[in-house]
Structures are given as C-alpha cells and as structure tokens.
Amino acid sequence: MSTLMQDLRYALRRMRQSPGFAFICIFTLALGIGANTAIFTLVDAIMLKNLPVAQPGELYRLGDSHNCCVNQGFQEDWSLFSYAQYKEFRDHTPEFTQLAAFQAGPAELSVRRTGTNAPAEPFGGEFISGNYFSMFGLNAFIGRTITPADDTTGATPVAVMSYRTWQQQYGLDPSVVGAAFTINTVPYTVVGIAPPGFFGDTLRPDPPDFWLPLATEPALNRQNSILDQPDLNWLYSIGRLKPGAEPASVQSKVTVQLQRWLAAQPDLSQHDRSALGKQHIVVARAGGGVQNMRSNEIAGLRLLMTLSAFVLLIACANIANLLLARGAATRAETAIRVALGAPRKRLVRQILTESVVLAVLGGVAGLLVAFAGTRTILLVAFRGAHYVPISPTPSLPVLGFAFLLALVTGIVFGVAPAWVSTHSDPAEALRGAGRSTRDRSSLPRRALVVFQVALSAILLIGAGLLARSLHNLQDQQFGFETEGRLIVRVNPAVAGYKPEQLYSLYQQLQEKLPQIPGVLSASYSLYSPMRGDNWSFGIHIEGHSPDERISSSFDRIG
C-alpha cells in the first residue's frame, strides 16, 4: 500500500506538471468511455433489467412473440389470446400459482375528475385481470390495488393510477385515492396508486396511466366490446410457476389445451382444422415482462455498441501514442533511474499506475458524457413520446461497468508505453539515442498510428453509409405528398358519441377544419398513412375454392 500511494502521488504530480497533456488525455477518454457507458445504460435498461416486481425469476409468459393489438384467426406461434382462452388456461393449468392477463395494446382514455369543470384529458390505460397486481407481488403505494372481486360483472368500476401520473398531473394529492373520475363517460373510483418505479408489464414509451379491470371493458367500449368475443385475440398472459414445475412440460400441456379449445369451436373451417397441428404456445421466461422493445431495438443497440467500441479503441491508441511520445522525451530520466538500479517492473507499475489514474478520471468525466448521450439517444429514438421509463442516470451496474472499463482501458493504453520506456538501453539513451532514427519507441508509435487510421477509416465509411441511408429514407417517395400535412387523431367514442352521430360529426369537422387560417383542405380516414397499423380479414373470391382464404387489409377514407 505504501508503494501504491507513492505511485499515485507521482502520477498526480506528473499531471500537475503537464495540465494540458492531462486534459487532452482525460477529454479523449471521456468521449470513448462515455459513449460505451451510454450504450451500456440502454443495454442494461432494455436487455438486462427485470421488472420491478417480486421474484421476477418465477415469471413465465404464454408466448414469446409480440403482436398488437387485436388479432383474429390462427397464429401458429400463439402470443395473443381471447378472454375465453385466458380463462381456459387460468382454470386448467395448476402449474401456475397465478396466471394474469392484460391488454396487448394501449387503451385510449378520456379522463376528467368528477365534480370539476376542467376539460377531459387524454391518458393511456390498460385492461387487466383482477389478479394482475397480486401475481406480480405488488402492493399499492397508498390505497389498494385491483382485486379479483373488482374483475367481475356488476362490480363497481375501479381503477389504479400510476405513481408518475399521480405526481405529474395531480401533485401527489392524497385525496385522489377514493375520488370519482369519469373515464370515457363511465364513472370510476380510483382506489389506489401503483408503487413508484412500476411502469407496467412492458417496457415501452408512454406506459399506462391507469389500470382498469377487464370486466369493465364492455362499459367503456359499448359499441365495439371485444371481451366476450372468443375469436378476437387481444390479451397477453404472464404467470408465476410453482416450485418444481418444468416449463417444457407446461408448454406441452398448454399447447394441447389450445388445440383442443380451437377444435371445439363450432365455426371452424376445414382449412383451419387441417392447420390445428401447427398451432402451439411457447412458455418463455418473463422476468423482464413482454420484451417488445428488446426485440425492436437489439439490432440498433448492437450497431451502437460496435461503433462505440471502435471509438474507445481509437482513443486508447491516441493516448498510447501521446504516452510514447512523452516517454521518448524523458528517456534520459528513465535511463538514469535504471542505471541507478531501479527495478524495471517497478517502473512498469509506476507508468501503468499513471495510465490507470488518467483512465479513472476519464471514466468519471465519461459519466457526464454518458448521461448526456443517453438522454440524446432517448430523445431521438422516441421522438414524440411524453415519457420513456428509462433513466439516463447511471445505475449501480452501469457505474460498475464504467469503473471496470476505465481500469481495462488504462491498462490497454499503458502497456506499450510502459514496456518501451523501461526496455530501452540506458547507454544509448544517455548518448542521445532518443533523437536518432534508431529510437525503439518509433516502431510502436507507427503501428499505433496505422491502427488509428484503419479504425477511423472504418468508422468514417460506416458513418457515411449510415448518413446516406438516412438521407435516402428521408427523401423516399411514399406515394403521397408529405410536406405541409398534419395528422389529428380523433376518438369520438371516448366522449360518448354513438355510431349514428359519427357521420354528422365527421362532416362538421371536414367543413370547419378548412376554415382555420392556413388550412387548405382536410379529409379523414380510419388509419393514416405510415401509422403502422391496419385492419384486415379473410375474403373469398368467387370461382375459387371455399377453403381458399385471402387476407385483405382495408381503410375507410373520406
């Protein structure tokens, strides 16, 4: 420890003597380490973290793919289920201590606190089974959670509000719990606030603000209720396996249950009966919930990890070159110390200590770069989202990663300078060989320069290709004019409009919108272009076999 403290004091003294050199090294390392730490922050949040629930290792999901939001027909690899299918699995799969269901896509809610004159505000919601919170092992922050008794026909409609919504929209007002709210014209009572940090079952932008019992879905969607339609699949399902239960055997069991349930449906066509054997369910680990974002972002994260690793390697080569150049300037000093009997391993350790100190300081500065970089990536990747449940603040695993990365980085760029500086001939150094062409440090420096140029060329070529791809995407012809177009989403059902009122409402909107200054024209459609959603069903073409089904997508337009 005494020797280590001497080496640390020596390293800090050298940095005070050359503040410009130290600043360049720390700044360069901050960029390299900060970029890698920013990417690891996202990797940790998206790919490594479990849900903030009790015993996430016990959670398993029926299905391993990701669909949204309502499907009809066979899926082969099933992940979405109807309410009737969910009840079948819940009641006949005792290997699960609890099996919960929840809506695959977000529910659009219009919410107003009862008794106020404030206009209704849009929120996101999710329909859940009554055992949802107990299955996750969660208690309310205040109040209570939804229970199975709330998820029954005729029960008083209740809701649980997210902590973030309670904090941002209602200022942590405790009177919210027990208060009446009008949600899509239906009176609900908020019975509790979800625990802080719980964003739901899926890591996604704009998670639910309210959780509502499945049994209340028909009241909110009077005209288009899907709860009791056995052929519409719209629910994900996650359960907690009993100790000793084997996921493989449960998978076989639920697959058989699914096939039997499908075979018992009265309107099953001959074509569907022939495909029954292909229908199956994968029982997958669900400690991280429904990992939709992981599947969507893994390719981008891998690309960013590779690029940031190249940036760090270039930084290491740059610092190593700087240390070699400084070592060449102080060869005479090193030669005198060797001639006086200083052990070479002692000098190597001293130079490596200085490298590690530089790297650790660069890592500390890199945390600031990582915080700013993570925030920037989140803003760019989820542009338009009001909230993304990923914190740019480094967590303990991220801090450990940054510290370990700084140590490894310090050793990587310090080995070559330490070796070259301590293995030069003292006699040559004292005769001024450092200024001759036979300087031993010139070859490693040239090799590092070649290494830097090669990696920089790869990065520049990759950046150029990526920029060209983005330019092509931005200028792509989609078949419609994009300039000066504005999309407004309207959901009259949440305000209580009946189907017979809609045509008149849309006519009024189409007449009044062009009267707004600056608006040239307006029209309407069920789905807007490039929204990434559609409605489809099977059609039959006259003259073809009745069992030949063709899937057709449609849009309703003005």
Side-chain angles (χ1 to χ4, degrees):
M1 289 302 298
S2 175
T3 305
L4 176 61
M5 294 306 298
Q6 290 178 4
D7 292 342
L8 287 174
R9 285 194 295 269
Y10 177 78
L12 294 174
R13 187 164 62 248
R14 296 259 290 183
M15 292 170 60
R16 280 201 309 270
Q17 292 171 353
S18 306
F21 174 85
F23 174 79
I24 291 174
C25 292
I26 293 172
F27 179 76
T28 304
L29 290 170
L31 294 178
I33 296 175
N36 281 269
T37 305
I39 304 306
F40 184 77
T41 301
L42 297 176
V43 170
D44 177 59
I46 295 174
M47 303 182 67
L48 303 180
K49 270 189 176 178
N50 288 321
L51 293 176
V53 299
Q55 303 296 325
E58 298 176 356
L59 299 179
Y60 283 83
R61 180 180 162 220
L62 298 185
D64 61 347
S65 58
H66 316 288
N67 296 303
C68 183
C69 300
V70 181
N71 280 355
Q72 189 174 25
F74 284 7
Q75 304 172 46
E76 291 196 3
D77 183 6
W78 283 69
S79 292
L80 281 180
F81 305 96
S82 67
Y83 185 56
Q85 288 172 333
Y86 158 67
K87 290 191 293 184
E88 174 74 15
F89 297 134
R90 181 196 64 190
D91 298 338
H92 298 92
T93 315
E95 289 82 359
F96 287 102
T97 57
Q98 289 196 72
L99 187 65
F102 47 93
Q103 186 179 9
E108 296 178 348
L109 304 180
S110 174
V111 180
R112 178 175 58 231
R113 189 167 181 174
T114 306
T116 65
N117 295 323
E121 296 183 81
F123 286 95
E126 183 177 83
F127 291 104
I128 61 173
S129 59
N131 61 348
Y132 178 87
F133 285 101
S134 61
M135 185 275 299
F136 280 130
L138 295 173
N139 296 315
F141 180 73
I142 57 173
R144 67 174 180 88
T145 59
I146 293 172
T147 66
D150 300 316
D151 190 23
T152 57
T153 303
T156 302
V158 299
V160 168
M161 183 185 293
S162 74
Y163 184 91
R164 178 184 60 86
T165 303
W166 182 51
Q167 180 184 48
Q168 295 182 359
Q169 301 295 327
Y170 299 97
L172 304 179
D173 181 5
S175 67
V176 166
V177 177
F181 283 75
T182 302
I183 301 179
N184 294 15
T185 72
V186 177
Y188 274 76
T189 301
V190 173
V191 294
I193 306 297
F198 180 69
F199 50 80
D201 44 73
T202 306
L203 181 65
R204 63 187 178 194
D206 297 326
D209 300 295
F210 291 88
W211 288 275
L212 318 170
L214 282 170
T216 63
E217 186 271 341
L220 260 68
N221 301 318
R222 292 188 182 91
Q223 311 301 330
N224 300 297
S225 175
I226 58 179
L227 181 70
D228 295 320
Q229 298 194 35
D231 59 336
L232 293 183
N233 309 306
W234 59 292
L235 298 173
Y236 287 136
S237 185
I238 288 180
R240 193 175 292 274
L241 276 184
K242 291 181 178 178
E246 291 294 333
S249 62
V250 176
Q251 178 172 302
S252 301
K253 181 174 182 177
V254 294
T255 295
V256 172
Q257 288 178 339
L258 172 70
Q259 293 175 357
R260 288 177 179 172
W261 190 91
L262 293 172
Q265 300 308 302
D267 57 347
L268 203 63
S269 68
Q270 191 61 35
H271 177 272
D272 286 341
R273 290 190 183 279
S274 65
L276 273 175
K278 297 180 181 179
Q279 312 307 307
H280 67 278
I281 300 175
V282 176
V283 175
R285 288 188 176 274
V290 179
Q291 296 167 343
N292 196 3
M293 190 179 292
R294 177 181 299 188
S295 301
N296 293 338
E297 310 299 338
I298 186 171
L301 286 175
R302 285 174 176 169
L303 174 63
L304 290 175
M305 288 171 65
T306 302
L307 295 177
S308 60
F310 277 7
V311 170
L312 182 59
L313 286 175
I314 293 173
C316 287
N318 189 32
I319 304 302
N321 253 330
L322 291 173
L323 290 174
L324 282 172
R326 190 172 70 164
T330 59
R331 288 185 67 213
E333 175 190 339
T334 304
I336 292 174
R337 297 169 70 186
V338 171
L340 292 175
R344 292 184 187 272
K345 64 179 182 179
R346 179 75 170 81
L347 297 177
V348 169
R349 188 170 63 186
Q350 196 171 67
I351 297 174
L352 283 178
T353 300
E354 183 182 4
S355 302
V356 170
V357 169
L358 285 171
V360 169
L361 292 175
V364 172
L367 290 176
L368 301 176
V369 176
F371 178 81
T374 304
R375 282 182 58 87
T376 302
I377 294 173
L378 291 175
L379 289 173
V380 172
F382 304 105
R383 183 173 54 185
H386 297 95
Y387 170 70
V388 180
I390 298 177
S391 173
T393 304
S395 61
L396 285 178
V398 173
L399 290 174
F401 170 82
F403 180 72
L404 181 61
L405 186 63
L407 288 179
V408 173
T409 300
I411 294 172
V412 167
F413 72 72
V415 166
W419 179 265
V420 171
S421 297
T422 58
H423 283 76
S424 58
D425 186 352
E428 288 186 8
L430 292 173
R431 285 196 297 268
R435 294 184 297 275
S436 72
T437 58
R438 291 178 290 133
D439 184 358
R440 290 190 181 188
S441 66
S442 60
L443 181 60
R445 288 209 302 272
R446 284 197 289 266
L448 286 172
V449 168
V450 172
F451 180 70
Q452 281 182 272
V453 171
L455 286 182
S456 299
I458 293 173
L459 277 183
L460 287 173
I461 293 171
L465 292 174
L466 182 60
R468 183 60 182 268
S469 298
L470 293 174
H471 177 74
N472 291 340
L473 286 173
Q474 188 174 8
D475 295 339
Q476 185 175 346
Q477 297 300 315
F478 295 108
F480 61 92
E481 184 60 50
T482 59
E483 291 297 324
R485 267 61 182 178
L486 206 63
I487 296 174
V488 179
R489 294 185 60 185
V490 180
N491 189 353
V494 301
Y497 280 86
K498 295 179 174 56
E500 57 270 20
Q501 299 175 294
L502 295 183
Y503 184 66
S504 173
L505 171 66
Y506 293 146
Q507 280 189 315
Q508 293 179 46
L509 288 175
Q510 195 170 18
E511 292 172 1
K512 292 182 177 180
L513 286 174
Q515 298 175 12
I516 299 174
V519 177
L520 298 179
S521 62
S523 187
Y524 47 82
S525 64
L526 179 62
Y527 295 111
S528 55
M530 306 304 293
R531 178 178 165 184
D533 201 354
N534 75 318
W535 193 273
S536 65
F537 48 58
I539 63 171
H540 171 66
I541 299 178
E542 186 177 358
H544 288 244
S545 169
D547 290 332
E548 182 181 352
R549 288 193 173 186
I550 301 174
S551 180
S552 174
S553 297
F554 72 88
D555 197 7
R556 297 174 184 165
I557 62 171

